[in-house]
Amino acid sequence: MIPTGRLWALFALLAVPMMAAGFFPGLGGAVLALDALALALAVVDFLWARSVRLEARRVLPQRLNVGVPNKVELRLVHRGGRTARVRVKDGVPESFTAAPDEATLELPPDSETRWVYRVTPARRGRFDFTEVTARVSGPLGLVLHERVFPTTQTISVYPDLRGASRLLLSGAALDLVNLGLRQLRRDGRGSEFARLRDYAQGDSARDVDWKATARRGRPVTRVLESERSQSILICVDAGRSMAAQVDGLTKLDHAVNAALFLAFVAVRNGDRVGLAVFADGVKTYLPPAAGRTQYRKMVDALYSTTPSLTYVDYLALFKELNVRLTRRSLLCVFTDFLDEEQASTMVAPLHRLARRHVPLCLSVKDTALQKLLRTPPPGPEESFQHAVASELLVDREMLKARVSQGGVQMLDVQPDDLSLAAVNRYLDIKARGVL
């Protein structure tokens, strides 16, 4: 039995005549009778609330995506002849944010009521939803009867695969302007023949197929496509600097989401995609391969990847890639440049790799530092923080300038733009025939 505010208000109201009974002895009996009546009403209210027959079950999707709202549904079955008022709360994992976290529902007689809320996981991995708690209110609203339903369920939280899902649902994957992709069609200045089509205004004279034009008696353009079966190796930094939080997720989570979106597009584009997860050494390595099976292997490999609180050994990574990668490849390295001393060790070996491969470094801008610089410092401590942030960002820009020399491409973007920026740069590299 859980008393409500209404019951406490009733007892507070009865306290007034009880105090008056000290001055008027004749009121004592009436006050005791009123107290007994209030207790009796509370007991009747509780017995009615306890008699409500209620069932609860949870409906979860097959998997949840990290950092985004995911729909969860609770179904409450009321088997009774009166309307019941219930306050319900689900047992979400501690690291999840639920919106709303509870609800008050009116359950009609003999009905099933559905309550939908959304949870936002902060981390990847496996988590347990515990019991559902429901508090049934009596008809007088004096007490609540609490029920606990054992509905423990285990759910997996995966990287944010919504971009890949939307791409898969886009049919032929030709009209993707709404996704922000500049292009996905393989037509372009490639080296492989795709098809012939009628000449259109604006086509280059170099693309005209003169033999086909002579046969058909009208101008015909030869359409080329970017070469397929090229190698892309996605390298994900899982060191200590990637554990920093940016916009509610770690930098590693942003990198994982972008890496899987890039891998999905590359697989759909017919390329061979591989994966290397590294920190103080190479933790996971998947050699480049084609097909959806390879993409599923990458999802499974990145699903449980967490930041290691260690330094990053770029030299060990690039030494291993120099041995393993015998074919010219696009190296997409998701890393961080905030630790200048650590990141500077990648410059020389990355430039050496650029002689054989096409390196592309991708990083997430630190929005907290940028926000700090935009805010005028109100005091001495804030001024010191402002100066440190300014120095860090200057060092970061200098390091980026050093890295981007010698044939290395750079992308340093906002967290929400990382996935699309990575895919668009990959498509641009393929269209220009750099690989």
Side-chain angles (χ1 to χ4, degrees), residues 232-260:
I232 290 82
L233 184 69
I234 299 174
C235 306
V236 179
D237 179 356
R240 61 190 177 192
S241 61
M242 298 295 281
Q245 292 273 338
V246 179
D247 291 355
L249 292 178
T250 63
K251 291 186 176 182
L252 178 59
D253 282 317
H254 289 295
V256 166
N257 294 341
L260 288 177

Side-chain angles (χ1 to χ4, degrees), residues 189 196-197 199-200 203-214 218-223:
R189 303 304 307 167
L196 295 174
R197 61 170 172 80
Y199 178 85
D203 288 347
S204 172
R206 295 178 300 174
D207 296 331
V208 176
D209 191 310
W210 299 108
K211 291 183 178 180
T213 298
R218 63 180 184 276
V220 175
T221 298
R222 183 190 304 110
V223 179

Side-chain angles (χ1 to χ4, degrees), residues 64-373:
L64 303 179
N65 292 326
V66 67
V68 297
N70 299 263
K71 186 175 73 172
V72 178
E73 182 179 290
L74 283 182
R75 297 182 180 178
L76 301 175
V77 179
H78 173 219
R79 306 187 186 280
R82 288 186 176 183
T83 299
R85 184 177 178 85
V86 179
R87 185 187 304 168
V88 62
K89 183 180 180 68
D90 200 0
V92 302
E94 289 185 5
S95 60
F96 289 21
T97 301
D101 58 349
E102 65 177 39
T104 300
L105 307 173
E106 297 282 349
L107 308 184
D110 296 319
S111 65
E112 179 179 283
T113 302
R114 299 182 180 184
W115 174 50
V116 176
Y117 69 100
R118 298 185 182 275
V119 293
T120 304
R123 295 185 289 115
R124 287 169 282 110
R126 293 179 65 83
F127 300 90
D128 291 330
F129 279 78
T130 56
E131 65 274 356
V132 174
T133 302
R135 292 182 175 180
V136 183
S137 175
L140 301 177
L142 299 177
V143 294
L144 301 172
H145 179 241
E146 184 171 281
R147 319 273 183 93
V148 176
F149 300 93
T151 54
T152 301
Q153 290 175 273
T154 301
I155 189 70
S156 297
V157 178
Y158 275 76
D160 185 8
L161 305 178
R162 294 177 304 162
S165 301
R166 290 170 61 191
L167 189 60
L168 184 62
L169 293 173
S170 64
L174 298 178
D175 183 18
L176 291 167
V177 178
N178 60 330
L179 274 180
L181 298 181
R182 290 197 294 267
Q183 62 175 359
L184 186 62
R185 296 185 64 172
R186 304 182 187 94
D187 302 347
R189 303 304 307 167
S191 58
E192 294 187 0
F193 174 78
R195 67 184 189 279
L196 295 174
R197 61 170 172 80
D198 289 339
Y199 178 85
Q201 185 176 0
D203 288 347
S204 172
R206 295 178 300 174
D207 296 331
V208 176
D209 191 310
W210 299 108
K211 291 183 178 180
T213 298
R215 288 195 304 267
R216 298 186 183 183
R218 63 180 184 276
V220 175
T221 298
R222 183 190 304 110
V223 179
L224 302 178
E225 68 177 4
S226 300
E227 183 184 352
R228 297 191 183 193
S229 299
Q230 294 177 317
S231 291
I232 290 82
L233 184 69
I234 299 174
C235 306
V236 179
D237 179 356
R240 61 190 177 192
S241 61
M242 298 295 281
Q245 292 273 338
V246 179
D247 291 355
L249 292 178
T250 63
K251 291 186 176 182
L252 178 59
D253 282 317
H254 289 295
V256 166
N257 294 341
L260 288 177
F261 190 26
L262 174 59
F264 185 87
V265 175
V267 167
R268 286 289 298 269
N269 222 19
D271 287 328
R272 302 166 67 249
V273 188
L275 173 69
V277 179
F278 64 97
D280 53 347
V282 178
K283 306 296 185 182
T284 303
Y285 183 80
L286 294 175
R292 293 187 179 181
T293 301
Q294 178 73 354
Y295 176 73
R296 286 193 290 270
K297 289 181 181 178
M298 294 182 65
V299 173
D300 293 337
L302 291 173
Y303 156 70
S304 57
T305 299
T306 56
S308 301
L309 301 182
T310 60
Y311 70 97
V312 177
D313 192 345
Y314 292 104
L315 187 59
L317 167 69
F318 295 139
K319 278 184 177 179
E320 185 157 349
L321 297 186
N322 196 41
V323 174
R324 289 179 179 267
L325 288 180
T326 58
R327 182 177 180 178
R328 183 173 173 83
S329 305
L330 171 62
L331 303 179
C332 299
V333 183
F334 290 89
T335 188
D336 185 59
F337 296 99
L338 199 58
D339 188 339
E340 183 191 10
E341 181 179 354
Q342 174 181 278
S344 61
T345 61
M346 74 183 297
V347 177
L350 191 59
H351 288 171
R352 287 194 295 268
L353 273 178
R355 300 169 188 170
R356 295 177 52 199
H357 305 286
V358 182
L360 170 62
C361 286
L362 307 103
S363 64
V364 175
K365 289 185 176 180
D366 201 311
T367 55
L369 289 180
Q370 294 175 331
K371 183 178 179 180
L372 181 62
L373 289 179

